[in-house]
């Protein structure tokens, strides 16, 4: 197996699905936002506030280069904009978790920590802007993906099994 990358819009459940796959398979998992937070020793929200998005995207590109050179046999969940790094496919098999915007927004709102889920995401501050970003990105995610998994009306276990079957042979 090579690496498997989970891409998709904010709130689609990349972290939750990653944790479920770890539980089912014992694979080691990394998250690009976690790597960036430890590189910088500050939260994503702070990085956006103090340095801006351009700086954050440069960090994502550094992480991508490191992953493609140094990481093997690992499940990698990514921030919602990570898919823009050059040569994403050099890192591993790219799995796009697809949901429509209303379903993923509802998923966030139904979470017990909904407020913090929204405030920690600088690009999800305004619903109209987030929706516009979703519309732009949806075809782009699909274009860079090797595999598309529709996550709607499925629980984490079902989605994890589907990804393991399709991408982790
Ligand atoms: C971003 C998504 C976030 C985080 C940052 C930017 C984006 O990750 O990387 O706030 O551009 O969509 P999640 O997708 O885990 O929320």
């Amino acid at each position: 197996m090579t690496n498997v990358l989970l891409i998709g819009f904010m709130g689609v459940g990349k972290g939750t699905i990653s944790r479920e796959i770890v539980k089912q398979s014992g694979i080691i998992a990394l998250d690009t936002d976690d790597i960036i937070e430890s590189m910088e020793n500050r939260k994503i929200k702070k990085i956006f506030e103090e340095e801006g998005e351009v700086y954050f995207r440069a960090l994502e590109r550094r992480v991508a280069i490191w992953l493609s050179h140094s990481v093997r046999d690992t499940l990698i969940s990514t921030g919602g904009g990570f898919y823009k790094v050059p040569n994403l496919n050099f890192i591993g098999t790219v799995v796009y978790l697809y949901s429509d915007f209303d379903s993923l927004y509802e998923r966030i709102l139904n979470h017990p920590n909904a407020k913090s889920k929204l405030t920690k995401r600088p690009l999800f501050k305004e619903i109209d802007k987030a929706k516009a970003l979703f519309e732009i990105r949806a075809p782009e995610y699909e274009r860079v993906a090797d595999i598309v998994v529709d996550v709607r009306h499925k629980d984490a276990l079902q989605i994890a099994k589907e990804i393991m079957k399709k991408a982790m042979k």
Side-chain angles (χ1 to χ4, degrees), residues 20-33:
E20 188 62 38
I21 295 173
V22 166
K23 202 164 131 192
Q24 299 304 324
S25 69
I27 191 172
I28 288 178
L30 291 173
D31 179 86
T32 60
D33 280 348

Side-chain angles (χ1 to χ4, degrees), residues 8-11 14 33 44 48 56-57 60 78-81 121-123 137:
F9 203 71
M10 295 172 274
K14 291 164 291 190
D33 280 348
I44 301 295
F48 267 75
F56 176 76
R57 299 299 172 203
E60 289 191 314
T78 63
R121 294 182 159 110
L123 301 179
R137 283 185 177 174

Side-chain angles (χ1 to χ4, degrees), residues 30-103:
L30 291 173
D31 179 86
T32 60
D33 280 348
D34 290 348
I35 297 168
I36 287 171
E37 288 187 345
S38 33
M39 280 161 74
E40 290 281 305
N41 194 27
R42 51 187 164 167
K43 295 283 179 197
I44 301 295
K45 187 171 177 243
K46 269 260 179 279
I47 301 173
F48 267 75
E49 279 165 12
E50 294 174 358
E51 315 290 347
E53 184 173 348
V54 171
Y55 179 91
F56 176 76
R57 299 299 172 203
L59 292 172
E60 289 191 314
R61 290 195 296 274
R62 269 183 68 195
V63 170
I65 292 167
W66 173 75
L67 289 168
S68 60
H69 290 156
S70 311
V71 174
R72 294 285 170 276
D73 303 329
T74 297
L75 176 66
I76 302 161
S77 52
T78 63
F82 188 84
Y83 76 97
K84 285 174 190 281
V85 300
N87 304 318
L88 185 70
N89 300 78
F90 287 7
I91 304 173
T93 305
V94 180
V95 178
Y96 169 36
L97 303 184
Y98 170 77
S99 169
D100 61 87
F101 184 81
D102 291 343
S103 309

